[in-house]
Amino acid sequence: MAFNHNDHYHRLLLRQVPPEAQRGLDVGCGTGLFARRLAARGLDVDAVDPSEEVIAAAPAIDGVRFVQADITAMPLPKGRYDFISCLASLHHMPFGTVSGLREALAPGGVLAVLGCYRGSSWSDHLVSAAAVPVNAAARLALSGRPAASPVQAPVATASMTLDEVRSQAADLLPGAGIRRLLFWRYLLVHRN
Ligand SMILES: C[S@@+](CC[C@H](N)C(=O)[O-])C[C@H]1O[C@@H](n2cnc3c(N)ncnc32)[C@H](O)[C@@H]1O
């Protein structure tokens, strides 16, 4: 099925990239579609994922350095990146991982998380119910199109609710903006 909730939000995420950004880090890059889009914007990108399969399937391109690694075990250079993205990957790791990512931001740098959360409240269920028919229509409209990659990146079920994400972000990323998106995702943006 060509409609992918993460890919759908690429344009929104690209709008968070600071205009003068030069160095990017994509955490949990999968087969690298978003990292390649960052490179197309002129960023020099480190794209990290522990899955051997997705890194092997990621097409090589100038401007993207694919690294097979667990970000939580990687020493990250402090103050290096102008833009750090995590697309549907933060819930695979402890939320506290954002502290290391924050420290890796250059002055003026942006951390953008497209996050998955566990639905629990009435508003979660209401938004989910609204998303179902839109999702079905989008899938139908794109049903003839091929998927971006034949290799599926590992997935995991989110354990944190949106309220828990907000609460932990308030401690670890003070000032970060978080907003709920339609397709079972949130957008967190933290500016250094
Ligand atoms: C649902 S996939 C999303 C892939 C890609 N970002 C996208 O939007 O299609 C989550 C990715 O996070 C990666 N991941 C899981 N744990 C990780 C970790 N500790 N460090 C870096 N990446 C991780 C998985 O291997 C997987 O490729």
Side-chain angles (χ1 to χ4, degrees), residues 4-7 10 13 26-35 48-52 54-55 67 69-74 85-94 97 114 116 151-156 185:
N4 177 294
H5 299 144
N6 305 326
D7 300 354
H10 281 188
L13 288 152
D26 188 37
V27 177
C29 61
T31 51
L33 180 59
F34 188 68
V48 177
D49 201 295
S51 162
E52 186 179 355
V54 296
I55 292 294
V67 181
D70 172 351
I71 197 80
T72 65
M74 248 180 107
S85 48
C86 298
L87 277 64
S89 59
L90 186 59
H91 67 288
H92 286 249
M93 51 197 95
T97 305
L114 179 69
C116 301
V151 174
Q152 165 87 49
V155 294
R185 302 283 184 273

Short mmCIF file of all heavy atoms in Angstrom, two decimals, residues 4-7 10 13 26-35 48-52 54-55 67 69-74 85-94 97 114 116 151-156 185, ligand 1:
data_model
loop_
_atom_site.label_atom_id
_atom_site.label_comp_id
_atom_site.label_asym_id
_atom_site.label_seq_id
_atom_site.Cartn_x
_atom_site.Cartn_y
_atom_site.Cartn_z
N ASN A 4 1.64 5.93 3.31
CA ASN A 4 2.44 5.65 4.51
C ASN A 4 2.31 6.85 5.43
O ASN A 4 2.59 7.99 5.02
CB ASN A 4 3.89 5.41 4.07
CG ASN A 4 4.81 5.19 5.25
OD1 ASN A 4 5.02 6.09 6.06
ND2 ASN A 4 5.37 4.00 5.34
N HIS A 5 1.90 6.61 6.67
CA HIS A 5 1.64 7.73 7.59
C HIS A 5 2.89 8.56 7.85
O HIS A 5 2.81 9.77 8.02
CB HIS A 5 1.08 7.20 8.91
CG HIS A 5 -0.21 6.48 8.75
ND1 HIS A 5 -0.55 5.36 9.47
CD2 HIS A 5 -1.23 6.69 7.90
CE1 HIS A 5 -1.74 4.94 9.09
NE2 HIS A 5 -2.18 5.72 8.14
N ASN A 6 4.04 7.92 7.91
CA ASN A 6 5.27 8.67 8.20
C ASN A 6 5.67 9.52 6.99
O ASN A 6 5.96 10.71 7.13
CB ASN A 6 6.40 7.72 8.59
CG ASN A 6 6.00 6.84 9.75
OD1 ASN A 6 5.24 7.28 10.62
ND2 ASN A 6 6.46 5.60 9.76
N ASP A 7 5.65 8.90 5.82
CA ASP A 7 6.02 9.63 4.61
C ASP A 7 5.06 10.81 4.38
O ASP A 7 5.47 11.87 3.88
CB ASP A 7 5.98 8.72 3.38
CG ASP A 7 6.95 7.54 3.50
OD1 ASP A 7 7.72 7.50 4.47
OD2 ASP A 7 6.90 6.66 2.62
N HIS A 10 6.33 14.08 5.70
CA HIS A 10 7.67 14.57 5.34
C HIS A 10 7.70 16.08 5.08
O HIS A 10 8.62 16.78 5.50
CB HIS A 10 8.21 13.82 4.11
CG HIS A 10 8.74 12.46 4.44
ND1 HIS A 10 9.41 11.67 3.54
CD2 HIS A 10 8.69 11.73 5.59
CE1 HIS A 10 9.76 10.54 4.10
NE2 HIS A 10 9.32 10.54 5.35
N LEU A 13 7.68 18.00 8.22
CA LEU A 13 8.97 17.92 8.91
C LEU A 13 10.03 18.77 8.21
O LEU A 13 10.83 19.44 8.88
CB LEU A 13 9.42 16.45 8.98
CG LEU A 13 8.60 15.64 9.97
CD1 LEU A 13 8.54 14.19 9.58
CD2 LEU A 13 9.16 15.80 11.38
N ASP A 26 19.39 11.74 11.12
CA ASP A 26 18.07 11.10 11.09
C ASP A 26 18.16 9.82 11.91
O ASP A 26 18.92 8.90 11.57
CB ASP A 26 17.63 10.82 9.65
CG ASP A 26 16.19 10.35 9.60
OD1 ASP A 26 15.36 10.84 10.39
OD2 ASP A 26 15.89 9.47 8.77
N VAL A 27 17.39 9.78 12.99
CA VAL A 27 17.46 8.68 13.96
C VAL A 27 16.39 7.64 13.64
O VAL A 27 15.21 7.97 13.60
CB VAL A 27 17.25 9.23 15.40
CG1 VAL A 27 17.24 8.09 16.40
CG2 VAL A 27 18.30 10.28 15.73
N GLY A 28 16.82 6.40 13.42
CA GLY A 28 15.86 5.36 13.03
C GLY A 28 15.43 5.61 11.60
O GLY A 28 14.25 5.71 11.28
N CYS A 29 16.42 5.67 10.72
CA CYS A 29 16.20 6.16 9.35
C CYS A 29 15.47 5.16 8.46
O CYS A 29 15.02 5.53 7.37
CB CYS A 29 17.53 6.53 8.71
SG CYS A 29 18.68 5.12 8.59
N GLY A 30 15.36 3.87 8.89
CA GLY A 30 14.76 2.88 8.00
C GLY A 30 15.55 2.82 6.70
O GLY A 30 16.79 2.90 6.70
N THR A 31 14.85 2.74 5.58
CA THR A 31 15.54 2.65 4.29
C THR A 31 15.94 4.02 3.74
O THR A 31 16.40 4.13 2.61
CB THR A 31 14.68 1.88 3.26
OG1 THR A 31 13.38 2.46 3.23
CG2 THR A 31 14.57 0.41 3.63
N GLY A 32 15.75 5.07 4.55
CA GLY A 32 16.43 6.33 4.27
C GLY A 32 15.72 7.35 3.40
O GLY A 32 16.33 8.32 2.96
N LEU A 33 14.42 7.17 3.18
CA LEU A 33 13.73 8.12 2.30
C LEU A 33 13.81 9.55 2.84
O LEU A 33 14.13 10.49 2.09
CB LEU A 33 12.25 7.71 2.13
CG LEU A 33 11.41 8.61 1.24
CD1 LEU A 33 11.99 8.69 -0.18
CD2 LEU A 33 9.96 8.13 1.19
N PHE A 34 13.58 9.73 4.14
CA PHE A 34 13.61 11.10 4.67
C PHE A 34 15.05 11.65 4.69
O PHE A 34 15.27 12.82 4.40
CB PHE A 34 12.99 11.16 6.07
CG PHE A 34 12.83 12.58 6.55
CD1 PHE A 34 11.91 13.44 5.95
CD2 PHE A 34 13.61 13.08 7.59
CE1 PHE A 34 11.78 14.76 6.36
CE2 PHE A 34 13.47 14.40 8.02
CZ PHE A 34 12.56 15.24 7.40
N ALA A 35 16.01 10.79 5.01
CA ALA A 35 17.42 11.24 4.99
C ALA A 35 17.79 11.73 3.59
O ALA A 35 18.48 12.74 3.43
CB ALA A 35 18.34 10.09 5.42
N VAL A 48 20.96 6.91 10.95
CA VAL A 48 21.32 5.82 11.87
C VAL A 48 20.16 4.87 12.08
O VAL A 48 19.03 5.30 12.34
CB VAL A 48 21.74 6.44 13.23
CG1 VAL A 48 22.06 5.34 14.24
CG2 VAL A 48 22.93 7.37 13.05
N ASP A 49 20.45 3.58 12.01
CA ASP A 49 19.43 2.57 12.29
C ASP A 49 20.16 1.27 12.65
O ASP A 49 21.15 0.92 12.00
CB ASP A 49 18.54 2.34 11.05
CG ASP A 49 17.20 1.72 11.41
OD1 ASP A 49 17.18 0.57 11.88
OD2 ASP A 49 16.16 2.41 11.24
N PRO A 50 19.66 0.55 13.68
CA PRO A 50 20.35 -0.68 14.07
C PRO A 50 20.02 -1.87 13.18
O PRO A 50 20.68 -2.92 13.27
CB PRO A 50 19.85 -0.94 15.51
CG PRO A 50 18.53 -0.27 15.57
CD PRO A 50 18.59 0.89 14.62
N SER A 51 19.02 -1.74 12.33
CA SER A 51 18.58 -2.89 11.53
C SER A 51 19.50 -3.08 10.32
O SER A 51 19.57 -2.22 9.43
CB SER A 51 17.14 -2.69 11.06
OG SER A 51 16.85 -3.54 9.98
N GLU A 52 20.16 -4.23 10.29
CA GLU A 52 21.06 -4.54 9.18
C GLU A 52 20.29 -4.56 7.86
O GLU A 52 20.76 -4.08 6.83
CB GLU A 52 21.69 -5.91 9.44
CG GLU A 52 22.75 -6.30 8.46
CD GLU A 52 23.37 -7.66 8.78
OE1 GLU A 52 23.03 -8.26 9.82
OE2 GLU A 52 24.19 -8.10 7.96
N VAL A 54 17.49 -2.92 6.90
CA VAL A 54 17.10 -1.64 6.29
C VAL A 54 18.32 -0.86 5.81
O VAL A 54 18.28 -0.21 4.76
CB VAL A 54 16.21 -0.76 7.21
CG1 VAL A 54 14.89 -1.43 7.50
CG2 VAL A 54 16.91 -0.31 8.46
N ILE A 55 19.41 -0.95 6.56
CA ILE A 55 20.61 -0.22 6.12
C ILE A 55 21.12 -0.82 4.80
O ILE A 55 21.52 -0.09 3.89
CB ILE A 55 21.70 -0.27 7.23
CG1 ILE A 55 21.27 0.56 8.45
CG2 ILE A 55 23.04 0.24 6.69
CD1 ILE A 55 21.15 2.06 8.23
N VAL A 67 24.59 4.63 8.87
CA VAL A 67 25.35 4.00 9.96
C VAL A 67 24.45 2.97 10.62
O VAL A 67 23.34 3.31 11.06
CB VAL A 67 25.76 5.06 11.01
CG1 VAL A 67 26.57 4.41 12.13
CG2 VAL A 67 26.53 6.20 10.38
N ALA A 69 23.65 1.31 13.66
CA ALA A 69 23.95 1.47 15.08
C ALA A 69 22.68 1.75 15.88
O ALA A 69 21.68 2.23 15.33
CB ALA A 69 24.93 2.64 15.28
N ASP A 70 22.78 1.44 17.16
CA ASP A 70 21.72 1.78 18.13
C ASP A 70 22.05 3.18 18.65
O ASP A 70 23.11 3.40 19.23
CB ASP A 70 21.78 0.73 19.26
CG ASP A 70 20.87 1.07 20.42
OD1 ASP A 70 20.31 2.18 20.48
OD2 ASP A 70 20.75 0.20 21.30
N ILE A 71 21.17 4.13 18.43
CA ILE A 71 21.48 5.53 18.79
C ILE A 71 21.71 5.66 20.29
O ILE A 71 22.47 6.53 20.73
CB ILE A 71 20.36 6.49 18.31
CG1 ILE A 71 20.85 7.94 18.29
CG2 ILE A 71 19.11 6.39 19.15
CD1 ILE A 71 21.67 8.30 17.11
N THR A 72 21.07 4.81 21.09
CA THR A 72 21.20 4.93 22.54
C THR A 72 22.58 4.49 23.02
O THR A 72 22.96 4.77 24.16
CB THR A 72 20.12 4.12 23.29
OG1 THR A 72 20.33 2.73 23.04
CG2 THR A 72 18.72 4.51 22.86
N ALA A 73 23.32 3.78 22.15
CA ALA A 73 24.65 3.30 22.53
C ALA A 73 25.74 4.07 21.80
O ALA A 73 26.92 3.73 21.89
CB ALA A 73 24.77 1.80 22.22
N MET A 74 25.35 5.09 21.06
CA MET A 74 26.31 5.83 20.23
C MET A 74 26.75 7.10 20.93
O MET A 74 25.89 7.88 21.36
CB MET A 74 25.59 6.29 18.95
CG MET A 74 26.05 5.65 17.69
SD MET A 74 25.08 6.34 16.34
CE MET A 74 26.30 7.37 15.56
N SER A 85 16.17 14.56 13.23
CA SER A 85 14.81 14.05 13.04
C SER A 85 14.70 12.63 13.58
O SER A 85 15.65 11.85 13.51
CB SER A 85 14.44 14.07 11.55
OG SER A 85 15.47 13.51 10.76
N CYS A 86 13.54 12.34 14.13
CA CYS A 86 13.19 10.97 14.55
C CYS A 86 11.80 10.71 14.01
O CYS A 86 10.83 11.28 14.51
CB CYS A 86 13.07 10.84 16.06
SG CYS A 86 14.50 11.18 17.01
N LEU A 87 11.69 9.89 12.99
CA LEU A 87 10.38 9.63 12.40
C LEU A 87 9.91 8.25 12.83
O LEU A 87 10.46 7.22 12.40
CB LEU A 87 10.46 9.69 10.86
CG LEU A 87 10.38 11.07 10.22
CD1 LEU A 87 11.55 11.96 10.62
CD2 LEU A 87 10.32 10.95 8.71
N ALA A 88 8.90 8.23 13.66
CA ALA A 88 8.29 6.98 14.12
C ALA A 88 9.32 6.04 14.73
O ALA A 88 9.20 4.82 14.62
CB ALA A 88 7.55 6.29 12.97
N SER A 89 10.35 6.60 15.35
CA SER A 89 11.40 5.76 15.92
C SER A 89 11.61 5.97 17.41
O SER A 89 12.10 5.07 18.10
CB SER A 89 12.73 6.01 15.19
OG SER A 89 13.11 7.36 15.27
N LEU A 90 11.20 7.13 17.95
CA LEU A 90 11.49 7.41 19.36
C LEU A 90 10.84 6.39 20.29
O LEU A 90 11.40 6.05 21.33
CB LEU A 90 11.06 8.84 19.72
CG LEU A 90 11.45 9.32 21.11
CD1 LEU A 90 12.97 9.26 21.32
CD2 LEU A 90 10.95 10.73 21.37
N HIS A 91 9.66 5.90 19.91
CA HIS A 91 8.98 4.94 20.79
C HIS A 91 9.65 3.57 20.80
O HIS A 91 9.26 2.69 21.54
CB HIS A 91 7.49 4.81 20.41
CG HIS A 91 7.26 4.19 19.06
ND1 HIS A 91 7.54 4.84 17.88
CD2 HIS A 91 6.81 2.97 18.70
CE1 HIS A 91 7.25 4.05 16.86
NE2 HIS A 91 6.81 2.91 17.33
N HIS A 92 10.68 3.38 19.97
CA HIS A 92 11.48 2.14 20.01
C HIS A 92 12.53 2.21 21.12
O HIS A 92 13.25 1.25 21.34
CB HIS A 92 12.21 1.93 18.68
CG HIS A 92 11.34 1.50 17.54
ND1 HIS A 92 11.42 0.25 16.96
CD2 HIS A 92 10.38 2.16 16.85
CE1 HIS A 92 10.55 0.16 15.97
NE2 HIS A 92 9.91 1.31 15.87
N MET A 93 12.70 3.36 21.72
CA MET A 93 13.80 3.56 22.68
C MET A 93 13.28 4.34 23.88
O MET A 93 12.19 4.89 23.83
CB MET A 93 14.98 4.26 22.00
CG MET A 93 14.59 5.52 21.25
SD MET A 93 15.83 6.10 20.05
CE MET A 93 15.25 5.37 18.53
N PRO A 94 14.05 4.39 24.97
CA PRO A 94 13.59 5.19 26.11
C PRO A 94 13.43 6.65 25.71
O PRO A 94 14.26 7.19 24.97
CB PRO A 94 14.72 5.04 27.14
CG PRO A 94 15.49 3.84 26.71
CD PRO A 94 15.35 3.73 25.22
N THR A 97 16.19 9.32 25.64
CA THR A 97 17.16 9.44 24.55
C THR A 97 17.20 10.86 24.00
O THR A 97 18.22 11.32 23.48
CB THR A 97 16.77 8.45 23.41
OG1 THR A 97 16.68 7.14 23.96
CG2 THR A 97 17.78 8.45 22.28
N LEU A 114 8.61 13.02 14.87
CA LEU A 114 7.28 12.55 14.44
C LEU A 114 7.04 11.31 15.28
O LEU A 114 7.68 10.27 15.06
CB LEU A 114 7.28 12.22 12.95
CG LEU A 114 5.95 11.70 12.40
CD1 LEU A 114 4.90 12.81 12.38
CD2 LEU A 114 6.12 11.12 10.99
N CYS A 116 4.89 8.37 17.70
CA CYS A 116 3.70 7.51 17.84
C CYS A 116 3.34 7.47 19.33
O CYS A 116 4.23 7.50 20.18
CB CYS A 116 4.01 6.09 17.38
SG CYS A 116 4.56 5.99 15.67
N VAL A 151 11.38 -3.13 1.30
CA VAL A 151 11.78 -3.57 2.65
C VAL A 151 11.03 -2.77 3.70
O VAL A 151 11.01 -1.53 3.67
CB VAL A 151 13.31 -3.41 2.85
CG1 VAL A 151 13.70 -3.72 4.29
CG2 VAL A 151 14.05 -4.31 1.89
N GLN A 152 10.41 -3.46 4.62
CA GLN A 152 9.63 -2.82 5.69
C GLN A 152 10.53 -2.62 6.91
O GLN A 152 11.15 -3.58 7.39
CB GLN A 152 8.45 -3.74 6.03
CG GLN A 152 7.72 -3.47 7.31
CD GLN A 152 6.60 -2.45 7.12
OE1 GLN A 152 5.79 -2.57 6.21
NE2 GLN A 152 6.58 -1.45 7.97
N ALA A 153 10.62 -1.40 7.40
CA ALA A 153 11.42 -1.13 8.61
C ALA A 153 10.74 -1.75 9.83
O ALA A 153 9.51 -1.86 9.85
CB ALA A 153 11.59 0.37 8.80
N PRO A 154 11.53 -2.17 10.82
CA PRO A 154 10.92 -2.73 12.04
C PRO A 154 9.94 -1.75 12.68
O PRO A 154 10.18 -0.55 12.69
CB PRO A 154 12.13 -2.97 12.96
CG PRO A 154 13.29 -3.09 12.04
CD PRO A 154 12.99 -2.18 10.88
N VAL A 155 8.85 -2.29 13.19
CA VAL A 155 7.85 -1.45 13.87
C VAL A 155 7.71 -1.91 15.32
O VAL A 155 8.10 -3.02 15.67
CB VAL A 155 6.47 -1.49 13.17
CG1 VAL A 155 6.56 -0.85 11.80
CG2 VAL A 155 5.96 -2.92 13.06
N ALA A 156 7.16 -1.04 16.15
CA ALA A 156 6.93 -1.37 17.56
C ALA A 156 5.66 -0.66 18.01
O ALA A 156 5.29 0.36 17.42
CB ALA A 156 8.12 -0.91 18.42
N ARG A 185 -0.22 10.18 15.15
CA ARG A 185 1.14 10.70 15.33
C ARG A 185 1.07 12.03 16.09
O ARG A 185 0.04 12.69 16.10
CB ARG A 185 1.83 10.99 13.99
CG ARG A 185 1.95 9.81 13.02
CD ARG A 185 3.05 8.88 13.45
NE ARG A 185 3.26 7.80 12.50
CZ ARG A 185 2.59 6.64 12.52
NH1 ARG A 185 1.66 6.42 13.41
NH2 ARG A 185 2.88 5.69 11.64
C1 LIG B 1 8.73 2.43 12.29
S1 LIG B 1 10.38 2.45 11.70
C2 LIG B 1 10.48 4.09 10.98
C3 LIG B 1 11.52 4.14 9.91
C4 LIG B 1 11.64 5.50 9.21
N1 LIG B 1 12.03 6.56 10.11
C5 LIG B 1 10.38 5.87 8.49
O1 LIG B 1 9.82 6.93 8.75
O2 LIG B 1 9.95 5.10 7.64
C6 LIG B 1 11.34 2.66 13.20
C7 LIG B 1 12.82 2.54 12.94
O3 LIG B 1 13.52 2.83 14.17
C8 LIG B 1 14.65 1.97 14.21
N2 LIG B 1 15.16 1.87 15.58
C9 LIG B 1 14.70 1.08 16.57
N3 LIG B 1 15.47 1.20 17.67
C10 LIG B 1 16.43 2.10 17.35
C11 LIG B 1 17.56 2.63 18.05
N4 LIG B 1 17.83 2.24 19.31
N5 LIG B 1 18.37 3.50 17.44
C12 LIG B 1 18.09 3.91 16.16
N6 LIG B 1 17.04 3.44 15.45
C13 LIG B 1 16.23 2.56 16.03
C14 LIG B 1 14.10 0.66 13.67
O4 LIG B 1 15.12 -0.24 13.26
C15 LIG B 1 13.23 1.14 12.51
O5 LIG B 1 13.93 1.18 11.30
#
